[in-house]
């Protein structure tokens, strides 16, 4: 790991990355792409030493409350978070200043902060977003080796359900010829149904590859699935979007099961929900005229 002083912490859309780089080792990670200009080794985690000070300044200056998000580029619940507690410090500020919060993660380390997530959700809105890609546990350990398994993430979703915290699942990526099967998609959807997730984001059955993450992905294919790289190159060439040959059938299954069980499955509507700040009325805010 190494430390840097950041110039800012919140993006124009109120997202933040408290760390840069990741040690989860997911073989398909788009954040390895060269277009993000990460000038250090991906596993050498960059820590923004002044992130909390910058965040407090930003929250204090904001005229209107909003949702604050994290996790779009780097999973904030990497192992280092156990030692540094940067996310927990950020959550404390977000609660104290009365903002909403949403996070994307694959780690059950988020359960450490369940108390703060509940506090935020009781006052405004907190949404936990969890990525699920692979129903089979052994395959999951190959594709996402250093992070909570799918079953462990499923337990997180159920704990959030029981705590009244809404959840959204990212069904992405689905790797052609690896986990693009009806059994895999059905298994994940059944978990989502049991956990009563609010919505599932899915852009199609497939993955994207760009310079940087393509090379890493193919190196891992050679290690884990001999000769599959050659099949990818033969079928997809240098394409950015690598769609599953069974995309249409799997998407029908996805939309049908979501509709049957009342799970939101329109990406635009889910993103609108994630970005909408909600101020909840407490007992102390009620007056006699409201009774």
């Amino acid at each position: 790991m190494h430390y840097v002083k950041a110039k800012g912490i919140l993006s124009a859309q109120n997202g933040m990355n408290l760390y840069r780089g990741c040690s989860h080792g997911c073989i398909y990670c788009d954040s390895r792409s060269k277009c993000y200009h990460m000038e250090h080794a991906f596993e050498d985690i960059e820590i923004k030493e002044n992130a909390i000070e910058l965040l407090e300044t930003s929250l204090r200056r904001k005229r209107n409350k909003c949702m604050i998000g994290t996790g779009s580029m780097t999973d904030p619940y990497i192992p280092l978070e156990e030692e540094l507690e940067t996310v927990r410090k950020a959550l404390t500020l977000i609660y104290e200043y009365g903002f909403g919060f949403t996070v994307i993660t694959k780690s059950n380390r988020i359960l450490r902060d369940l108390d703060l997530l509940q506090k935020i959700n009781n006052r405004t809105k907190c949404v936990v977003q969890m990525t699920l890609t692979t129903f089979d546990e052994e395959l999951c350990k190959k594709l996402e080796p250093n992070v909570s398994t799918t079953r462990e993430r499923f337990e997180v979703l159920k704990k959030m359900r029981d705590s009244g915290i809404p959840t959204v699942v990212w069904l992405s990526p689905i790797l052609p010829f690896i986990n693009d099967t009806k059994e895999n998609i059905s298994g994940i959807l059944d978990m989502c149904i049991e956990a009563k997730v609010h919505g599932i984001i899915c852009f199609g059955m497939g993955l994207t590859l760009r310079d940087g993450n393509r090379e890493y992905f193919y190196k891992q294919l050679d290690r884990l699935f001999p000769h599959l790289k050659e099949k990818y190159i033969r079928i997809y060439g240098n394409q950015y979007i690598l769609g599953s040959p069974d995309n249409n059938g799997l998407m029908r299954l996805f939309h049908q099961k979501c509709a049957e069980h009342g799970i939101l499955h329109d990406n635009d509507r889910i993103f609108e929900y994630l970005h909408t700040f909600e101020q909840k009325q407490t007992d102390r805010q009620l007056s006699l005229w409201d009774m």
Side-chain angles (χ1 to χ4, degrees):
M1 65 179 182
H2 66 281
Y3 289 86
V4 299
K5 275 197 175 295
K7 295 180 180 178
I9 194 63
L10 287 183
S11 70
Q13 292 75 40
N14 298 305
M16 62 181 177
N17 286 302
L18 300 169
Y19 305 115
R20 291 193 79 203
C22 188
S23 52
H24 285 163
C26 303
I27 73 170
Y28 49 73
C29 183
D30 177 71
S31 294
R32 293 180 181 272
S33 300
K34 293 179 180 178
C35 63
Y36 300 121
H37 306 291
M38 199 173 294
E39 305 302 332
H40 55 87
F42 195 69
E43 287 77 14
D44 178 17
I45 310 299
E46 180 179 285
I47 301 165
K48 300 174 182 179
E49 59 184 341
N50 57 336
I52 298 305
E53 292 80 4
L54 289 171
L55 178 60
E56 182 163 23
T57 299
S58 296
L59 297 180
R60 189 172 59 244
R61 289 177 176 175
K62 280 188 175 293
R63 290 187 174 184
N64 300 311
K65 298 292 191 288
C66 62
M67 297 292 290
I68 305 297
T70 192
S72 61
M73 280 290 297
T74 297
D75 193 320
Y77 285 102
I78 54 178
L80 271 175
E81 171 59 19
E82 294 182 3
E83 170 190 348
L84 300 175
E85 297 192 347
T86 309
V87 179
R88 186 164 182 84
K89 294 170 187 174
L91 284 172
T92 301
L93 285 177
I94 289 167
Y95 172 70
E96 289 176 352
Y97 281 89
F99 285 77
F101 180 70
T102 185
V103 57
I104 307 171
T105 185
K106 296 176 185 171
S107 176
N108 61 4
R109 291 187 185 89
I110 192 173
L111 292 175
R112 179 203 64 185
D113 296 332
L114 183 57
D115 59 331
L116 282 169
L117 300 175
Q118 285 179 300
K119 281 185 171 184
I120 293 170
N121 193 55
N122 289 339
R123 176 180 288 178
T124 60
K125 183 170 78 177
C126 176
V127 185
V128 171
Q129 303 175 62
M130 186 71 70
T131 300
L132 300 180
T133 68
T134 310
F135 181 72
D136 181 89
E137 288 287 273
E138 292 308 310
L139 181 57
C140 175
K141 291 173 185 176
K142 289 183 178 181
L143 305 183
E144 303 157 340
N146 304 323
V147 70
S148 302
T149 67
T150 300
R151 290 284 172 181
E152 291 169 333
R153 289 176 238 171
F154 176 45
E155 292 303 316
V156 172
L157 290 171
K158 290 192 292 182
K159 281 186 169 60
M160 295 299 163
R161 174 202 65 196
D162 295 342
S163 301
I165 296 172
T167 55
V168 166
V169 163
W170 287 72
L171 184 59
S172 172
I174 302 300
L175 312 180
F177 317 113
I178 296 176
N179 62 347
D180 59 337
T181 65
K182 290 181 179 178
E183 293 76 16
N184 183 53
I185 302 304
S186 289
I188 293 172
L189 291 175
D190 288 342
M191 286 181 167
C192 293
I193 292 163
E194 183 176 344
K196 299 187 185 305
V197 305
H198 180 79
I200 304 176
I201 294 170
C202 181
F203 292 99
M205 302 297 169
L207 81 158
T208 59
L209 292 180
R210 292 188 270 208
D211 290 346
N213 80 313
R214 177 183 288 108
E215 291 82 356
Y216 184 82
F217 178 68
Y218 281 162
K219 182 179 179 180
Q220 301 310 310
L221 286 191
D222 278 340
R223 181 175 65 87
L224 298 168
F225 308 99
H227 311 300
L228 187 55
K229 178 184 75 175
E230 289 73 19
K231 185 174 183 178
Y232 266 70
I233 294 172
R234 185 174 69 253
I235 294 174
Y236 300 108
N238 208 37
Q239 291 176 205
Y240 168 56
I241 299 175
L242 288 67
S244 165
D246 197 22
N247 175 72
N248 292 340
L250 295 176
M251 287 303 292
R252 281 195 300 271
L253 172 65
F254 164 68
H255 287 301
Q256 179 182 345
K257 290 197 79 164
C258 286
E260 287 175 354
H261 294 274
I263 296 174
L264 193 60
H265 52 111
D266 180 295
N267 293 342
D268 291 338
R269 289 180 62 193
I270 297 173
F271 285 124
E272 181 181 3
Y273 169 74
L274 291 171
H275 285 95
T276 301
F277 175 79
E278 298 174 14
Q279 181 69 60
K280 295 177 181 175
Q281 197 171 40
T282 66
D283 290 339
R284 284 180 297 178
Q285 290 172 313
L286 290 171
S287 71
L288 289 174
W289 300 107
D290 298 315
M291 300 300 184

